[in-house]
Amino acid sequence: MTTTTSGLTAVRAGVLDYQAAWDEQRRLHESVVAGERGDTVLLLEHPSVYTAGKRTEPWDRPMDGTPVVDVDRGGKITWHGPGQLVGYPIVRLPDPVDVVAYVRRTEQLLIDVCAEFGLTAGRVEGRSGVWVPEDDRGPARKVAAIGIRVARGVTLHGFSINCDCDLGHFDRIVPCGIRDAGVTSLTAELGRPVSVVDVLPVVERHLPTLVTA
């Protein structure tokens, strides 16, 4: 299913292997760079996979031999899999390119999505992604992750939001290289099931935030 809002096309790609999604990202990136198509966002789920960004340290990786895919995005290691909605925006950034401003817009999109489900989330200084603040349930907890790359003025990689995934997958790694905070999901925080199917249309509605100041 494909929808277009504010000149940005969202493609629901279903469940897609990480390598297949990476190949499709690169194909779309070439098309957007060449001006052959407009801004496009892939929205999908992956089968269970660990991916390591360029800043991943050896001690962040799983110690049990679990396979890890090394990728050219920023950030460190994370997990993708069932119950997590992943978004790969392939969008042309305004000139001069301001990567930090784009990351902030991505964070705002995810903060607004969480708010629609009744979850108050926000930023933590010095850390990317979207967080549930420290409370009587524990320290700050990341509910959505961001890891991007910009090549020739057009973005690659993107964001993920934990809906109803098995959070045990994060126990094998030091997620995003952060040892003193947790990882959570919409379902865990809200105490009710919130699925990828529930979150998908809400994310689609907020996608224009990526391309507007």
Side-chain angles (χ1 to χ4, degrees):
M1 177 177 169
T2 301
T3 58
T4 302
T5 308
S6 300
L8 191 150
T9 299
V11 179
R12 295 189 184 186
V15 178
L16 202 59
D17 176 79
Y18 189 85
Q19 186 61 50
W22 177 223
D23 291 343
E24 180 65 5
Q25 278 192 75
R26 286 183 291 188
R27 186 187 72 80
L28 290 170
H29 185 266
E30 288 297 327
S31 296
V32 174
V33 167
E36 297 167 356
R37 69 175 296 138
D39 294 338
T40 303
V41 183
L42 292 175
L43 295 170
L44 52 86
E45 284 179 88
H46 286 305
S48 187
V49 63
Y50 292 97
T51 69
K54 291 180 287 187
R55 291 175 48 239
T56 302
E57 303 288 354
W59 50 85
D60 297 330
R61 295 172 180 262
M63 295 295 145
D64 61 359
T66 301
V68 175
V69 179
D70 289 283
V71 294
D72 64 351
R73 61 166 168 78
K76 295 196 173 189
I77 193 168
T78 194
W79 172 84
H80 297 306
Q84 181 192 73
L85 178 60
V86 179
Y88 293 128
I90 315 298
V91 301
R92 184 180 296 279
L93 297 182
D95 196 29
V97 169
D98 187 337
V99 176
V100 173
Y102 172 69
V103 171
R104 295 292 170 265
R105 292 195 297 273
T106 305
E107 290 170 345
Q108 192 60 53
L109 179 160
L110 296 164
I111 290 168
D112 293 343
V113 168
C114 289
E116 282 214 23
F117 287 94
L119 178 63
T120 300
R123 299 175 176 88
V124 171
E125 188 173 352
R127 292 176 171 177
S128 70
V130 171
W131 298 76
V132 178
E134 180 179 359
D135 57 17
D136 56 6
R137 297 177 60 188
R141 308 174 291 282
K142 181 182 275 193
V143 68
I146 297 170
I148 67 163
R149 179 179 172 228
V150 179
R152 290 180 286 170
V154 176
T155 64
L156 288 154
H157 302 291
F159 61 85
S160 60
I161 181 166
N162 297 331
C163 303
D164 58 353
C165 53
D166 178 358
L167 296 173
H169 291 288
F170 292 100
D171 293 341
R172 291 182 175 177
I173 59 172
V174 180
C176 303
I178 296 169
R179 297 176 182 274
D180 60 342
V183 179
T184 191
S185 67
L186 291 169
T187 293
E189 292 298 324
L190 296 169
R192 66 177 194 271
V194 182
S195 69
V196 168
V197 171
D198 297 327
V199 176
L200 194 51
V202 181
V203 167
E204 284 178 334
R205 193 164 66 250
H206 285 280
L207 286 177
T209 300
L210 293 174
V211 293
T212 55

